[in-house]
Amino acid sequence: LFATLFFIIQINSASTDLIINGAGLGDVIDDITVTVGGVECVVSGVQDDQVNCTIGAMPAGNHDIEINVAGKGKKIKKSGEKSVQSAVV
């Protein structure tokens, strides 16, 4: 289990920076992929306990967060848990 904590983020513009805290995420940007509701969140920085990424506009609603760390697998947070909420239509 690598990503342990996600924050609820409000997306209100065409582009929003997200910070995802966790553990055991590594430190290689190319090893990390993040999607929010199936939309790619472009990773701009990574530390063992944090990933920074930028997400574009997406439909309104709650969205699942998926983090894939090469060699460690995927972690998904379902909507209704700690998730991303988008107000963009």
Side-chain angles (χ1 to χ4, degrees), residues 2-74:
F2 49 87
T4 57
L5 176 63
F6 298 93
F7 289 102
I8 297 175
I9 304 294
Q10 190 78 18
I11 299 173
N12 287 316
S13 65
S15 176
T16 300
D17 294 329
L18 304 183
I19 298 171
I20 302 168
N21 294 314
L25 297 166
D27 59 1
V28 179
I29 288 178
D30 292 339
D31 286 353
I32 307 279
T33 56
V34 178
T35 59
V36 179
V39 176
E40 180 184 10
C41 191
V42 179
V43 177
S44 58
V46 63
Q47 301 175 41
D48 192 57
D49 63 350
Q50 187 176 84
V51 173
N52 299 321
C53 64
T54 303
I55 189 85
M58 35 188 330
N62 292 327
H63 304 283
D64 295 347
I65 302 168
E66 180 178 294
I67 299 175
N68 186 21
V69 180
K72 294 187 179 182
K74 293 182 182 179

